[in-house]
Amino acid sequence: EEQLVESGGNVVRPGGSLRLSCAASGFIFDDYGMSWVRQAPGKGLEWVSNINWNGGITRYADSVKARVTISRDNAKNSLYLQMNNLEAEDTALYYCARHRNSGSSEAFDVWGQGTMVIVTS
Amino acid sequence: DIQMTQSPSTLSASVGDRVTITCRASQSITTWLAWYQQKPGKVPKLLIYAASTLQSGVPSRFSGSGSGTEFTLTINSLQPDDFATYYCQHYSTYSPVFGQGTKLEIK
């Protein structure tokens, strides 16, 4: 079964940092681009960042640019999101999602269950 | 940046109805559009990509159409399982963006 499992969410103070992880299984991880998508409580979906199959191309939403870094370790079948200088507006459920192919421009066909990030003083 | 606007925000319908949700892009996105379904407390599910291609395993009562700036998701013969929130998404190299969502409620 193709599966994504996120971890690393936590309660953190404004200005703090977190590293989210996403473990992939059931498919050849380096055949696919990946994204992080977040959803604030009661709100819609917001794309955060994406990365192509080999990590050579990364993109970020303006709302997080310069504060987050996406990376992947294909040997470990894992995707990461390093988040720094967290703000209250970053409070959300963070999903990792698989692209339909190896590039950065694709729909998302497999989603994890999400990991919750709460930024509060 | 490209903006995606869905209408309506909320839609009330009955089992067996045919419903249409519209998604408009602020500029042409050719057919770089996907539709997702999300039920409360659940993970989004890909329904359609490339504006009109049905994702594997999605029932054929779902269909998508459009190109350029205007797109529609149509659900024929609504089933109880279809009541959910639907999102359109433009996916591109630079900045994928979701619509604000359309909540499909039981009338």
Side-chain angles (χ1 to χ4, degrees):
Chain A
E1 179 190 3
E2 298 172 328
Q3 194 172 10
L4 298 170
V5 178
E6 303 93 335
S7 61
N10 210 332
V11 179
V12 61
R13 295 194 185 280
S17 297
L18 278 177
R19 187 194 197 205
L20 307 184
S21 299
C22 172
S25 60
F27 63 95
I28 300 172
F29 184 62
D30 55 8
D31 275 354
Y32 295 92
M34 299 291 296
S35 275
W36 287 97
V37 177
R38 68 184 181 184
Q39 188 167 34
K43 303 297 184 182
L45 302 170
E46 179 188 15
W47 170 79
V48 174
S49 180
N50 65 23
I51 189 167
N52 74 329
W53 70 278
N54 67 357
I57 300 174
T58 59
R59 304 288 181 186
Y60 301 95
D62 287 345
S63 57
V64 301
K65 199 174 292 184
R67 298 189 298 118
V68 308
T69 303
I70 191 171
S71 62
R72 64 189 296 160
D73 185 337
N74 288 343
K76 295 183 177 180
N77 292 335
S78 293
L79 176 73
Y80 306 102
L81 188 71
Q82 176 66 43
M83 308 178 66
N84 300 322
N85 195 20
L86 282 159
E87 305 169 350
E89 292 73 26
D90 296 318
T91 294
L93 185 63
Y94 284 73
Y95 296 104
C96 68
R98 188 185 80 173
H99 298 188
R100 287 187 60 255
N101 58 35
S102 62
S104 353
S105 307
E106 255 303 346
F108 308 153
D109 64 350
V110 179
W111 295 64
Q113 292 297 314
T115 188
M116 190 70 198
V117 173
I118 298 173
V119 184
T120 181
S121 54
Chain B
D1 291 354
I2 295 173
Q3 308 297 322
M4 306 300 294
T5 304
Q6 291 182 231
S7 60
S9 295
T10 306
L11 179 57
S12 296
S14 301
V15 172
D17 284 353
R18 178 177 184 265
V19 299
T20 297
I21 298 169
T22 298
C23 179
R24 290 186 173 87
S26 57
Q27 63 190 75
S28 177
I29 59 170
T30 60
T31 57
W32 294 83
L33 187 99
W35 290 97
Y36 299 86
Q37 175 194 67
Q38 187 179 33
K39 299 176 184 178
K42 300 298 185 182
V43 173
K45 174 185 175 182
L46 177 63
L47 299 175
I48 287 167
Y49 61 93
S52 60
T53 303
L54 202 64
Q55 172 70 355
S56 175
V58 174
S60 59
R61 63 179 180 275
F62 291 90
S63 64
S65 65
S67 66
T69 62
E70 187 153 336
F71 303 85
T72 58
L73 171 70
T74 299
I75 312 172
N76 287 302
S77 186
L78 270 174
Q79 299 300 300
D81 193 48
D82 299 337
F83 292 95
T85 298
Y86 293 85
Y87 295 93
C88 64
Q89 179 209 20
H90 164 52
Y91 48 92
S92 71
T93 302
Y94 298 102
S95 184
V97 58
F98 290 92
Q100 80 277 17
T102 295
K103 185 175 182 180
L104 178 55
E105 299 179 327
I106 299 175
K107 186 183 288 184

